[in-house]
Amino acid sequence: MFKKILLLQLCLLVGFCAAAQIPSTISKDQLKQIHVDDLSDDQIRQLVAKMKQNNISFDEIDEYAADNGISDTEVIKLKARIQQLGLDTVLSGKTGKNTTANSDTSEELDRMVNDTTDYWNDKLRRLNSKEDYERALRRRKIFGSELFNNRNLTFEPNLRMPTPPNYQIAANDELIIDVYGYSEVQHQLKVSPDGYVRIPYLGPVYVNGLTMEEARTRITKQLSSIYGGIKTGNTFVQISLGSIRSIRVLLIGEVDRPGTYSLPSLATVANALYVSGGPGENGSFRNIQVIRNGQPVATFDLYDFLAHGDLTNNVVLRDQDIVKVNPYKTRVELAGEVKRPAIFEAKENESLQQILDYAGGYTDKAYHEVIRANRITNRQREVVNVPASQIASFQLKSGDLFTIDSISNRFTNRVTITGAVFHPGDYALEPGMTVGDLIKKADGVKEEAALARGVVRRLQADYTPAMISFNVQSALNGQQTLALQREDSVVVYSKIDLREQYQVKIIGEVNAPGQYVYADSMQLEDLILIAGGLRDAASLKHVEIARRIRNNSADSSDSRMAIIQQFDINADLSNNPGAAAFALQPFDEIMIRKAPSYAEQANIEIGGEVLYPGEYTINTKQERISDVLRRAGGLRPEAYPEGAVLLRKTFVNESDSAFLTNKLEVFYNKLQDSSDIERVRSAVQRKEQLLGINLDLIIKNPGSKYDLLLEEGDVLKVPKKLQTVQVFGEIYFPKKLRFDNSISFRNYIRGAGGFTSQALKRRSYIVYANGEVKNTRKVLFFNSYPKVRPGAEIYVPTRRERRGLSGPEAIGMASGLASVALIVVTLLDKIK
């Protein structure tokens, strides 16, 4: 079927042998300003028409766009829009710039460019009602309509095609006269409206209405009077057709777009039908007439081609021919299990069998015995059963709907076996077959099969389910003969599937801790090997096995929750008699603990103004800050020990983390090395907390309470001498000030503009460079401010705004007090 349609499509391309060019509607300057998203579909079509005129193919759009100043982004959008509208096929071929074009074919090409989108998608978008939509869908189902709905069909001219021998020359045809031999000359001559070609040095020769062979004979005879070699056989004449003329053809009747069309003179009936959209909703595909000079000269039947590949009546049209699409007389629809479900047109006396042939026949699943038909009578509908014996003679009536059912999914002799057998699946039910016979046909049961019990799922006479149990071992031995019925399903269960999956668990100091499948006779050392062996920190002593208590008795006096056993193992995992006697069981859990004296290296970091900064490994559990400072060579002369800080891993919540981040931002200013800054930032992300230390006291009193014990991950930072003081908060000009030991807290505040009116002076505080915080104290009626040190930060908080009572609040409070007073007076009166 596909090959036949493809052949017809090729035939539709034959007639268009004159190229056309579309006038440009978009200038080059406009193209430079183009934004594809702002273009309408019509503007895209105009742009494609311009490319077509300039002989630009779809693959050459990138180069064409670059020449016209269109950006690469817009080129991608443009190609996508062209493909979306289906116009890429219009640019798939080239028109040939040197081909002569006339206004008629130019109009035709313009119409094709604007009409190349998928016919039905465009049609359905323009429908205004549900009835129109249903009508369009119905037409789409008509057999043969796909020939006129394919947007991939184009009408590119084929100038390499030989001229048909019966082609009749007429006005506007171009003849190529080639004289060769002793004399050589070539002429390209246009046939005049009067039917003449004017040959140089010879004069006009009348060729109108002649075939190519007749014209060659006449022209050769006339040329022999000029070229004597023609008569003697030394000179020859060849005539071929150059560009061809256009003809006007009128399409009438039940055609989708009736009207007058300009077509190339080689166009056939099929070409004319295609450009007009094909037969309409009520148009016939089998009774298409060609009327010439008032008389029918041919009747075209598309089904002849679709069924037999016959294009005998696809005649070449002539100027002023009329193509009339008559209304259909009989249409029937085939649905269901046929290869091409569609609406088919039937001629008089055609039977249902011929329509089935057009549909490609039955599918493999079709039910052949009866075809059901819905028929419309004069007053109502009726259902008709068509037996297989009457299909060849059954007479059709327009509007018949034939439904070909599929065969039933039921099996007449199927039985099924699943589960623990070697070949589960469907088997044929044989006379007298038992459950044991079916198990043997499935090559027997597997080793893990549960032999004590199997089941047969059966459908009873009323199709309600039933279940029959049997002993699998007895069925195999022939001791139990359970006869099978159609659609029985035998299930042989697996013992493995009927229990919880047996696993053992190992955790602790092994390379791959986790759960593993249990196997009989598995020992402790076997599981350690399966888990990848012991880690370096693993202890060989006190390996613990926790066993689940699997006791089904009703005695609840036993309060144990698990059985615990401990064993020592060998480093090479050789057998330990004690552990071997306690073979593993399902759901055992093994714990390999860390050796008590095993310790991995713990590193700390010291940086800043020390002699040898870097990472250091903690030597003993009693090593302190002073010890590692001594190992680092001590402080440099420019070090500022009062500003030293210690970063330690700890847990902080979100609010603490935000506060710490804010404080560390200030501390960044004291760090001059960018790597130190990044390290401090990462410390906040690692949940490290800034600890205030007094390095001076640590150095003077090593081992004292100020000299902290070191922990894994500690970072000690010693900054350079700091010479500034930062003032924040409710002051008029927050700024940094130079540190001067003779200047007091109040003087630093004055240097920053003084307290604002909202300052809460008594709550002012200082954060020293090492993270230590000191608050302002109240001494009698005066504020005692803390001492300022280098690198300190002074914070002045904001006074909480106090708001007086509003009118309603005052009235409410007065009412409350009055109520209380009234209650008190009442109680006093009662007491008296």
Side-chain angles (χ1 to χ4, degrees):
M1 176 63 185
F2 174 76
K3 293 182 178 179
K4 293 179 181 180
I5 293 177
L6 180 60
L7 178 59
L8 181 57
Q9 292 174 358
L10 294 174
C11 294
L12 294 177
L13 302 179
V14 166
F16 292 84
C17 297
Q21 295 182 6
I22 298 176
S24 172
T25 58
I26 302 177
S27 67
K28 187 171 182 178
D29 291 336
Q30 290 173 325
L31 287 175
K32 293 181 180 179
Q33 307 296 328
I34 196 169
H35 292 284
V36 176
D37 293 336
D38 298 333
L39 296 180
S40 65
D41 289 350
D42 289 336
Q43 289 173 316
I44 294 291
R45 294 188 181 100
Q46 290 177 11
L47 187 58
V48 171
K50 178 177 175 65
M51 296 177 186
K52 187 72 175 179
Q53 177 186 2
N54 293 328
N55 205 31
I56 304 296
S57 69
F58 184 79
D59 294 332
E60 296 172 341
I61 289 180
D62 293 318
E63 182 180 354
Y64 171 76
D67 294 339
N68 287 276
I70 303 176
S71 67
D72 294 339
T73 303
E74 296 300 323
V75 170
I76 296 173
K77 294 180 181 179
L78 176 61
K79 295 175 75 173
R81 286 285 300 277
I82 291 175
Q83 289 178 320
Q84 181 182 0
L85 293 173
L87 299 177
D88 51 327
T89 56
V90 175
L91 298 176
S92 59
K94 296 187 178 182
T95 61
K97 292 183 179 180
N98 298 325
T99 304
T100 303
N102 56 52
S103 60
D104 294 333
T105 51
S106 177
E107 292 174 2
E108 176 60 21
L109 183 57
D110 183 70
R111 189 197 63 75
M112 288 192 298
V113 169
N114 291 309
D115 213 24
T116 314
T117 55
D118 182 73
Y119 176 83
W120 287 110
N121 289 338
D122 182 64
K123 187 84 171 177
L124 294 177
R125 279 196 301 267
R126 292 185 277 113
L127 297 178
N128 296 321
S129 66
K130 180 180 178 181
E131 292 75 14
D132 290 341
Y133 180 80
E134 292 176 350
R135 190 179 300 113
L137 289 180
R138 178 176 174 81
R139 187 191 168 194
R140 195 170 190 175
K141 292 170 61 177
I142 296 174
F143 180 64
S145 63
E146 67 273 9
L147 297 174
F148 307 101
N149 307 331
N150 192 338
R151 68 187 177 99
N152 294 321
L153 284 178
T154 60
F155 291 92
E156 296 297 328
N158 185 3
L159 299 180
R160 294 175 295 179
M161 172 189 171
T163 306
N166 60 346
Y167 180 80
Q168 292 186 339
I169 300 171
N172 287 330
D173 280 339
E174 182 184 59
L175 296 182
I176 300 175
I177 303 173
D178 192 8
V179 180
Y180 60 96
Y182 279 4
S183 300
E184 291 194 4
V185 66
Q186 188 181 73
H187 303 292
Q188 288 182 268
L189 305 174
K190 203 83 165 185
V191 179
S192 68
D194 297 331
Y196 291 90
V197 289
R198 182 173 293 277
I199 302 175
Y201 311 112
L202 179 62
V205 177
Y206 189 76
V207 294
N208 187 56
L210 301 181
T211 65
M212 292 299 294
E213 182 59 29
E214 292 171 344
R216 189 192 67 79
T217 301
R218 178 173 295 184
I219 293 173
T220 300
K221 182 178 180 181
Q222 296 290 336
L223 287 173
S224 63
S225 61
I226 302 176
Y227 304 103
I230 294 176
K231 294 180 179 180
T232 60
N234 295 325
T235 302
F236 307 94
V237 178
Q238 183 178 3
I239 297 177
S240 59
L241 192 65
S243 61
I244 61 175
R245 68 186 185 277
S246 293
I247 61 174
R248 284 190 173 273
V249 177
L250 178 63
L251 280 91
I252 61 173
E254 298 295 334
V255 67
D256 189 55
R257 295 190 293 271
T260 301
Y261 290 84
S262 295
L263 304 175
S265 56
L266 289 178
T268 63
V269 179
N271 297 133
L273 288 173
Y274 186 86
V275 298
S276 64
E281 179 185 1
N282 297 318
S284 172
F285 281 71
R286 312 196 62 182
N287 187 12
I288 302 170
Q289 291 181 313
V290 178
I291 302 173
R292 185 173 297 157
N293 298 324
Q295 299 295 326
V297 295
T299 300
F300 183 48
D301 185 351
L302 271 172
Y303 283 21
D304 288 341
F305 167 75
L306 295 175
H308 312 295
D310 184 6
L311 284 171
T312 303
N313 291 327
N314 186 29
V315 297
V316 177
L317 299 175
R318 297 184 185 179
D319 193 34
Q320 303 304 320
D321 276 356
I322 297 174
V323 177
K324 181 184 178 184
V325 179
N326 292 301
Y328 76 88
K329 291 185 178 180
T330 304
R331 275 185 185 168
V332 298
E333 183 175 355
L334 266 63
E337 297 299 327
V338 290
K339 294 176 182 175
R340 287 189 295 272
I343 297 174
F344 296 88
E345 185 178 346
K347 284 187 174 180
E348 189 176 356
N349 297 325
E350 282 189 336
S351 66
L352 178 56
Q353 182 61 55
Q354 291 169 291
I355 303 301
L356 278 172
D357 293 339
Y358 291 138
Y362 296 108
T363 65
D364 297 335
K365 298 187 297 181
Y367 178 63
H368 293 240
E369 297 302 318
V370 176
I371 295 177
R372 293 182 291 108
N374 287 337
R375 171 164 289 181
I376 301 173
T377 63
N378 293 334
R379 300 185 61 181
Q380 53 192 351
R381 297 176 181 269
E382 67 176 356
V383 177
V384 180
N385 294 329
V386 184
S389 59
Q390 297 180 14
I391 292 176
S393 59
F394 186 81
Q395 294 300 309
L396 306 173
K397 185 177 180 180
S398 189
D400 284 351
L401 171 60
F402 297 95
T403 303
I404 293 85
D405 290 331
S406 60
I407 59 174
S408 172
N409 287 329
R410 295 178 60 181
F411 288 82
T412 59
N413 63 338
R414 180 180 64 177
V415 288
T416 304
I417 185 169
T418 57
V421 293
F422 285 102
H423 296 288
D426 296 337
Y427 289 86
L429 177 62
E430 298 174 355
M433 179 181 283
T434 64
V435 171
D437 297 333
L438 180 58
I439 294 175
K440 292 175 182 177
K441 283 186 176 294
D443 206 11
V445 295
K446 294 182 178 179
E447 292 79 358
E448 72 271 16
L451 301 179
R453 195 178 191 87
V455 297
V456 177
R457 295 192 177 97
R458 174 169 294 176
L459 295 177
Q460 302 183 94
D462 58 355
Y463 262 66
T464 56
M467 185 173 290
I468 304 171
S469 61
F470 66 96
N471 186 288
V472 178
Q473 187 65 57
S474 298
L476 289 173
N477 296 337
Q479 298 174 357
Q480 185 177 2
T481 57
L482 177 59
L484 294 175
Q485 298 180 8
R486 181 180 67 85
E487 294 298 318
D488 277 356
S489 178
V490 178
V491 183
V492 178
Y493 292 98
S494 168
K495 290 185 289 187
I496 297 176
D497 296 336
L498 293 176
R499 71 185 184 194
E500 183 181 353
Q501 185 179 7
Y502 284 177
Q503 291 183 327
V504 287
K505 182 179 180 181
I506 184 169
I507 56 177
E509 298 301 321
V510 290
N511 290 315
Q515 291 188 334
Y516 294 90
V517 177
Y518 170 78
D520 287 340
S521 303
M522 178 182 283
Q523 296 184 1
L524 172 61
E525 290 82 1
D526 299 330
L527 182 56
I528 294 174
L529 287 174
I530 295 172
L534 298 171
R535 291 180 181 172
D536 187 55
S539 172
L540 303 179
K541 305 291 184 180
H542 298 288
V543 175
E544 192 169 271
I545 301 177
R547 176 161 296 172
R548 180 180 298 183
I549 296 177
R550 304 165 75 186
N551 189 356
N552 295 325
S553 66
D555 183 11
S556 59
S557 60
D558 190 350
S559 63
R560 293 183 304 168
M561 298 181 63
I563 299 172
I564 306 298
Q565 290 287 335
Q566 290 185 343
F567 301 97
D568 295 342
I569 57 175
N570 300 319
D572 59 357
L573 298 180
S574 57
N575 281 339
N576 184 316
F582 195 77
L584 296 182
Q585 291 185 5
F587 312 114
D588 280 356
E589 295 184 1
I590 291 83
M591 167 62 77
I592 309 293
R593 304 191 185 281
K594 188 175 181 179
S597 59
Y598 186 90
E600 297 178 359
Q601 296 91 333
N603 296 322
I604 60 99
E605 183 179 347
I606 184 170
E609 299 306 316
V610 294
L611 196 60
Y612 299 106
E615 288 192 358
Y616 288 84
T617 300
I618 299 176
N619 188 25
T620 68
K621 294 181 180 180
Q622 300 299 319
E623 189 161 21
R624 299 177 180 269
I625 295 176
S626 60
D627 299 325
V628 73
L629 192 61
R630 192 179 306 109
R631 290 167 60 189
L635 301 178
R636 291 178 178 271
E638 62 271 20
Y640 180 55
E642 291 184 11
V645 295
L646 181 69
L647 299 177
R648 173 162 292 177
K649 292 180 181 179
T650 185
F651 171 78
V652 292
N653 56 34
E654 293 184 1
S655 60
D656 292 338
S657 178
F659 176 79
L660 183 59
T661 303
N662 180 53
K663 298 302 179 187
L664 287 178
E665 287 289 344
V666 179
F667 183 68
Y668 294 158
N669 298 324
K670 305 171 187 176
L671 302 176
Q672 298 181 357
D673 191 341
S674 61
S675 63
D676 290 341
I677 295 174
E678 291 304 319
R679 192 174 294 109
V680 173
R681 282 198 180 100
S682 64
V684 178
Q685 297 173 357
R686 295 195 308 267
K687 302 296 184 184
E688 294 183 354
Q689 191 168 10
L690 181 63
L691 298 181
I693 60 173
N694 193 324
L695 196 57
D696 272 338
L697 291 176
I698 292 174
I699 295 174
K700 293 176 182 178
N701 302 292
S704 64
K705 64 179 181 178
Y706 306 106
D707 194 6
L708 301 179
L709 295 173
L710 294 174
E711 294 182 6
E712 164 73 19
D714 281 353
V715 179
L716 177 64
K717 288 294 179 183
V718 182
K720 285 186 177 180
K721 183 76 172 180
L722 301 174
Q723 298 178 335
T724 61
V725 174
Q726 177 75 53
V727 185
F728 296 98
E730 289 299 327
I731 52 177
Y732 283 104
F733 191 67
K735 59 185 293 188
K736 277 188 178 181
L737 300 170
R738 182 179 60 83
F739 174 75
D740 189 336
N741 195 36
S742 63
I743 297 178
S744 66
F745 184 98
R746 293 296 298 264
N747 289 332
Y748 281 109
I749 297 296
R750 292 190 188 98
F755 292 111
T756 67
S757 59
Q758 298 297 321
L760 187 60
K761 302 176 184 179
R762 69 176 186 276
R763 299 298 184 189
S764 300
Y765 62 94
I766 289 182
V767 178
Y768 294 109
N770 65 347
E772 182 183 358
V773 180
K774 282 193 176 182
N775 295 326
T776 300
R777 294 180 300 159
K778 195 74 172 177
V779 178
L780 296 179
F781 301 102
F782 303 99
N783 293 326
S784 176
Y785 296 104
K787 184 179 180 180
V788 181
R789 300 173 188 168
E793 299 162 7
I794 300 174
Y795 290 88
V796 180
T798 304
R799 183 192 306 274
R800 181 178 298 176
E801 182 180 357
R802 294 184 177 181
R803 183 175 61 87
L805 293 177
S806 64
E809 290 173 340
I811 294 172
M813 183 174 290
S815 299
L817 292 174
S819 300
V820 171
L822 180 60
I823 293 171
V824 171
V825 171
T826 303
L827 291 174
L828 291 175
D829 289 342
K830 288 184 177 182
I831 292 173
K832 291 178 180 180

